[in-house]
Amino acid sequence: MFAFFFLALLAIPVSGEEPSAGVREGLAPHKEGIAPGFSMAVYTDEVPNARQMVETESGILFVGTRRAGRVYAVVPSPEGSPEVVTFDTGLTMPSGLALLGDDLYVAALDRVLRYPRIETNFRGSPEPEIVTDALPDKYHHGWKYLSVGPDGHLYVPVGAPCNVCDEPDERFASILRMDPRTGETTVYAHGVRNSVGMAWHPETNQLWFTDNGRDMMGDDIPPEEVNRVTEPGAHYGFPHIHGTAIRDPLYGKGHDPADYVAPEVEIQAHAAAIGMDFYTGDEFGPDYANALFIAEHGSWNRSSKVGYRVSVVQFVDDKPVYSPFVDVWLEGQRASGRPADVLAARDGSLLVSDDQGGRIYRVMRDAE
């Protein structure tokens, strides 16, 4: 059903011709700036402030938001454009979503909510159940991302409530492992400043996550990070060490970088690497088997803008190799979109949410 639906995209096919005014607005990015052999088109532009996405087996997308306070269902239609249903509103930064069985879980600041049997109930303005309302309630870095681990537990990051600080509550600057039945948590990873992207490696079942570096150290340090959890409970450096070996000017004295887990990949400072997903489909070919795609949301306080693209980490001889994949949203210092999340869809495409444009894009390999 989902594959058939995608054949009826509302978007204009991408071409290599000079972009029209609509293309410059980001409604149909031109092919220049997309990895060779791939094309991208708009799936829907009716999801204001779209953030994390999850997909059901039938092809319904559920989409969270940050500032909008809404949760959407994007429903396939054989007639063309998908139907977008707003099924809850007035929430506080409901940006993190996860599917577990038939239920949808939504992280909204200090709460995790459960919407039972979501596929059959989303049209009826369902009343969510509260899994927990005891998470830290600081707005600074308070928006969340959710993931379901191989153990059936929820994994939820709690950002540092500051640019850089050392909070006594160990839940800040961490990733928590949460029992979805009780809401009880334990710290799964310490020293994580602000992660808004997580994914489980399809072969090793290890958690990988993005982490945004601190501000006010210049245009090019510290880097954004892609990390891997090999030992639950390990410490990833914040606020003492940034990147592989950059000591914080306030909190780094007396701390040895060797005592902390170094990132697997370092990305340009301020690019704001957030949503991520491993590609497990066949459509992209063997070069992208288990590749890690990353949404770079883009800088807000750098002297010249960086990010605003989707990048990819491919593994060559088991070593990560980073490169741009879709780089079409930034022209000079003007950004037409801000990628927030990526999702390897069941039909083999890659979906990209854009919370600035309120769009979801679809990337597909060109027919040979």
Side-chain angles (χ1 to χ4, degrees):
M1 178 179 177
F2 197 43
F4 172 79
F5 157 69
F6 264 145
L7 293 176
L9 280 173
L10 74 93
I12 304 170
V14 178
S15 73
E17 299 176 357
E18 178 66 19
S20 67
V23 169
R24 293 192 188 97
E25 288 299 322
L27 291 176
H30 56 86
K31 200 164 185 177
E32 181 182 354
I34 302 176
F38 292 88
S39 299
M40 185 172 75
V42 175
Y43 172 29
T44 177
D45 59 1
E46 298 180 356
V47 281
N49 197 220
R51 295 282 290 194
Q52 189 176 2
M53 305 172 287
V54 291
E55 179 192 14
T56 68
E57 291 186 4
S58 68
I60 296 175
L61 289 179
F62 292 104
V63 185
T65 63
R66 181 180 159 191
R67 294 184 176 90
R70 306 170 189 163
V71 189
Y72 306 107
V74 182
V75 187
S77 170
E79 299 175 357
S81 303
E83 177 190 11
V84 179
V85 178
T86 302
F87 67 87
D88 207 349
T89 62
L91 301 173
T92 305
M93 299 191 294
S95 58
L97 275 65
L99 286 167
L100 184 55
D102 296 329
D103 303 336
L104 177 70
Y105 290 79
V106 175
L109 188 59
D110 59 337
R111 301 192 298 165
V112 173
L113 308 174
R114 176 172 50 236
Y115 296 79
R117 300 176 300 281
I118 187 61
E119 277 201 278
T120 57
N121 291 334
F122 71 87
R123 293 185 184 277
S125 300
E127 187 70 23
E129 301 169 353
I130 298 176
V131 177
T132 183
D133 56 4
L135 294 174
D137 62 356
K138 303 296 185 182
Y139 278 72
H140 198 124
H141 297 149
W143 49 94
K144 303 289 191 297
Y145 199 86
L146 278 182
S147 184
V148 176
D151 57 1
H153 280 62
L154 296 172
Y155 289 77
V156 52
V158 178
C162 56
N163 176 33
V164 58
C165 56
D166 194 1
E167 287 289 320
D169 186 340
E170 70 169 359
R171 295 177 302 170
F172 283 117
S174 78
I175 294 175
L176 302 178
R177 177 180 182 267
M178 178 180 293
D179 187 325
R181 299 165 298 177
T182 66
E184 295 181 358
T185 62
T186 56
V187 176
Y188 190 71
H190 295 272
V192 181
R193 178 180 178 270
N194 181 33
S195 178
V196 202
M198 298 180 291
W200 298 85
H201 192 282
E203 293 181 352
T204 66
N205 284 334
Q206 291 175 333
L207 180 65
W208 291 61
F209 63 90
T210 53
D211 192 13
N212 291 172
R214 63 158 291 181
D215 296 311
M216 312 308 175
M217 287 185 70
D219 275 359
D220 297 315
I221 60 170
E224 311 289 65
E225 300 179 8
V226 178
N227 292 283
R228 175 171 61 112
V229 178
T230 59
E231 181 182 349
H235 200 293
Y236 289 80
F238 180 85
H240 313 296
I241 304 297
H242 308 291
T244 300
I246 300 172
R247 287 184 172 85
D248 189 83
L250 295 176
Y251 297 98
K253 185 177 180 180
H255 291 270
D256 186 347
D259 293 336
Y260 303 99
V261 181
E264 297 289 325
V265 178
E266 294 185 347
I267 296 174
Q268 168 65 47
H270 305 293
I274 53 175
M276 64 194 304
D277 201 11
F278 284 100
Y279 185 80
T280 55
D282 297 324
E283 297 297 323
F284 282 16
D287 288 346
Y288 291 93
N290 297 334
L292 180 61
F293 287 93
I294 302 166
E296 297 183 18
H297 198 228
S299 57
W300 65 273
N301 65 342
R302 193 175 184 274
S303 62
S304 60
K305 294 182 184 298
V306 292
Y308 302 93
R309 65 186 184 184
V310 172
S311 54
V312 63
V313 175
Q314 294 164 281
F315 296 89
V316 180
D317 297 328
D318 294 327
K319 295 181 179 179
V321 178
Y322 166 90
S323 61
F325 185 71
V326 178
D327 193 359
V328 299
W329 290 282
L330 184 62
E331 183 175 349
Q333 294 300 292
R334 180 176 176 272
S336 60
R338 301 192 75 180
D341 194 26
V342 291
L343 177 67
R346 294 177 182 275
D347 74 333
S349 66
L350 182 75
L351 302 180
V352 182
S353 64
D354 166 12
D355 66 348
Q356 174 177 301
R359 305 181 182 103
I360 296 173
Y361 295 87
R362 177 194 182 222
V363 181
M364 278 293 292
R365 193 171 191 100
D366 297 337
E368 295 182 356

